[in-house]
Amino acid sequence: MTTLLGIAGSLRAGSLNRKLLQAATERTPDGVTLEIGSIAGIPLYDGDAERDEGVPAPVEALKDRIAAADGLLLVTPEYNQSIPGVFKNAIDWCSRPPKDIARVFAGKPVGVIGATPGRGGTRAAQDAWLSVFRGLSLVPFLGESLYVAGAAKVFDDDGALTDDTIARLLTEYLEAFAAFTARVGG
Ligand code: FNR
């Protein structure tokens, strides 16, 4: 059994990226579970608060869930051709204290996909994540990619994925990422 943890990098209720993550949980190959982690409740990183109060409980909880997963799947929005601050902030908190990076991140397979109503499909944000992955010693999956452009039109009113092409590409991505995770080891 392979367990993946997916995190969508948006706080808003109608997030396209959360819908994409939900769609992914319904399209995993046999023997693979995709659980959903959340960045909700994570404060802005403040080194003084860390020194005085330690790592906040929602961050410790997310760290533990990442550590327990065989692979990590980030579902990223794109802001100004890069990573949204709330998402980067959450992962930055999860890298604290640095001695925990080995337990939480190092050597873990990581994939990144994303959705935008725009035309670029979050390509720039996905590229920006690569240097973060290097900093955390994650092992990026580069075998497939999924850039969901025009994403406002691919979900129905209930948030279900209705675009057959995106559904097929998502299924193929998950199959290849799960195989990579099994090969690399979590
Ligand atoms: C955006 N958006 C956006 N989209 C894109 O494809 N490239 C970009 O550079 C940007 N830049 C950008 C900056 C800021 C500040 C905001 C608020 C938005 C649009 C963005 O893709 C859209 O709001 C998505 O719906 C955000 O993802 P969620 O919240 O739907 O998951």
Side-chain angles (χ1 to χ4, degrees):
M1 190 66 175
T2 299
T3 302
L4 306 175
L5 184 73
I7 306 174
S10 173
L11 294 171
R12 71 189 191 94
S15 165
L16 297 167
N17 286 279
R18 191 160 330 109
K19 289 174 187 170
L20 182 60
L21 175 54
Q22 179 59 42
T25 65
E26 296 154 13
R27 288 170 175 80
T28 50
D30 288 347
V32 177
T33 309
L34 175 59
E35 299 178 351
I36 295 182
S38 172
I39 63 169
I42 295 180
L44 286 176
Y45 178 76
D46 177 340
D48 294 342
E50 182 187 19
R51 182 196 58 217
D52 297 342
E53 296 149 37
V55 174
V59 175
E60 287 295 5
L62 188 56
K63 284 168 61 180
D64 288 345
R65 294 195 68 196
I66 296 169
D70 299 309
L72 177 64
L73 179 66
L74 301 188
V75 188
T76 191
E78 177 174 295
Y79 285 2
N80 297 312
Q81 302 191 14
S82 192
I83 302 167
V86 289
F87 203 5
K88 179 69 161 42
N89 176 71
I91 298 300
D92 288 344
W93 255 125
C94 287
S95 71
R96 304 297 298 174
K99 70 174 172 55
D100 283 0
I101 290 175
R103 174 178 72 89
V104 175
F105 293 110
K108 192 172 298 288
V110 63
V112 58
I113 60 177
T116 168
R119 284 191 291 185
T122 73
R123 187 180 291 261
Q126 293 190 35
D127 283 353
W129 275 111
L130 294 177
S131 61
V132 179
F133 298 161
R134 186 168 55 232
L136 297 174
S137 300
L138 286 157
V139 184
F141 169 59
L142 303 173
E144 299 267 347
S145 43
L146 183 61
Y147 307 114
V148 182
K153 295 185 182 139
V154 306
F155 302 100
D156 68 16
D157 290 345
D158 298 324
L161 180 60
T162 53
D163 184 297
D164 290 344
T165 303
I166 301 297
R168 178 177 54 78
L169 294 173
L170 179 59
T171 303
E172 288 172 4
Y173 182 95
L174 292 166
E175 205 165 297
F177 178 51
F180 176 79
T181 296
R183 212 165 48 241
V184 171

